[in-house]
Amino acid sequence: AQKITQTQPGMFVQEKEAVTLDCTYDTSDPSYGLFWYKQPSSGEMIFLIYQGSYDQQNATEGRYSLNFQKARKSANLVISASQLGDSAMYFCAMRPGGTSYGKLTFGQGTILTVHP
Amino acid sequence: NAGVTQTPKFRVLKTGQSMTLLCAQDMNHEYMYWYRQDPGMGLRLIHYSVGEGTTAKGEVPDGYNVSRLKKQNFLLGLESAAPSQTSVYFCASSYSGRRNTEAFFGQGTRLTVV
């Protein structure tokens, strides 16, 4: 079974500063994918970034980067130059390889508040 | 592109009533999923489907039924609603079950059972 743990219920950051949202995972599968989603107050789920278990380099997408430490089973999201629009709930999720049928396992989420 | 559309967006039910949530996707995706979101628990998988005519149980299937009669639609039913089913429900779809495939989510349905 897979498990995702996000230990920060809430985080605060000053506008234009960087912030790291923590995510640790547990799985026995050697093949898996890690995702981060953003959920603004309007409620929709927005895909941010993906990291594969076999990827040698950390994923980056614009201001988002994923600090992937496979041995420590962590996949932290780094948001650089925070903006007011980054205030939202952030979810870390994992999708195993093999015959898992693409089922995503989510963490509890972290609420990020960006202060002006 | 519409993507994944959920109907309705909001609903209030009385305990014991039944209802069906509709999920429709226009991306020709094979895989579809129903999740529920509760505070402090993230999203949990209720049921899923890997193709037309197939369904399977997820992590929290009790009290729910699903059907996938058409590839583009995935219905979630509550036969006798309970207050514990008060939640936000999300439908998602993806073209495959591979680990690197993005899942696309609907806007969510906020259900309150009183």
Side-chain angles (χ1 to χ4, degrees):
Chain A
Q2 291 75 36
K3 185 176 182 181
I4 297 281
T5 303
Q6 295 179 251
T7 57
Q8 306 156 315
M11 288 286 286
F12 295 89
V13 66
Q14 207 71 25
E15 193 178 10
K16 299 182 183 178
E17 292 186 348
V19 63
T20 297
L21 305 184
D22 293 342
C23 172
T24 57
Y25 60 91
D26 188 22
T27 181
S28 56
D29 288 297
S31 172
Y32 50 88
L34 295 158
F35 298 79
W36 277 92
Y37 286 88
K38 173 184 178 182
Q39 185 180 47
S41 58
S42 51
E44 72 267 33
M45 296 287 286
I46 301 169
F47 165 72
L48 295 178
I49 195 167
Y50 165 83
Q51 179 84 42
S53 59
Y54 296 123
D55 293 346
Q56 295 297 312
Q57 292 188 324
N58 288 340
T60 61
E61 288 287 349
R63 295 187 298 110
Y64 304 107
S65 60
L66 203 152
N67 184 2
F68 180 48
Q69 299 188 41
K70 193 171 181 178
R72 299 179 63 179
K73 293 189 174 179
S74 73
N76 299 339
L77 178 70
V78 180
I79 304 174
S80 64
S82 296
Q83 301 172 356
L84 295 178
D86 293 335
S87 293
M89 173 79 86
Y90 289 81
F91 289 102
C92 180
M94 177 168 60
R95 198 173 219 189
T99 57
S100 70
Y101 305 111
K103 293 177 285 185
L104 282 164
T105 298
F106 287 84
Q108 307 93 317
T110 296
I111 299 175
L112 176 66
T113 303
V114 180
H115 289 301
Chain B
N1 289 335
V4 181
T5 303
Q6 291 182 229
T7 309
K9 292 182 175 52
F10 303 93
R11 185 73 186 268
V12 178
L13 279 181
K14 293 183 179 179
T15 298
Q17 285 185 322
S18 63
M19 77 163 294
T20 301
L21 281 67
L22 171 63
C23 176
Q25 53 94 3
D26 62 1
M27 296 173 282
N28 202 36
H29 285 172
E30 289 291 341
Y31 291 72
M32 297 187 74
Y33 311 86
W34 276 107
Y35 293 89
R36 60 178 288 173
Q37 181 182 2
D38 301 293
M41 305 189 74
L43 280 73
R44 293 178 294 167
L45 183 65
I46 305 171
H47 285 281
Y48 65 100
S49 169
V50 301
E52 181 178 313
T54 76
T55 62
K57 294 180 180 179
E59 180 185 355
V60 288
D62 293 343
Y64 305 95
N65 57 74
V66 288
S67 65
R68 183 114 181 256
L69 299 179
K70 294 183 178 180
K71 185 177 183 178
Q72 63 267 34
N73 295 337
F74 194 28
L75 279 62
L76 178 71
L78 288 73
E79 290 188 346
S80 179
S84 61
Q85 294 177 304
T86 293
S87 188
V88 179
Y89 292 85
F90 283 96
C91 176
S93 72
S94 62
Y95 75 86
S96 85
R98 297 181 65 177
R99 62 180 175 94
N100 61 346
T101 306
E102 180 185 346
F104 295 82
F105 285 81
Q107 324 94 302
T109 296
R110 185 173 295 275
L111 175 66
T112 302
V113 183
V114 297

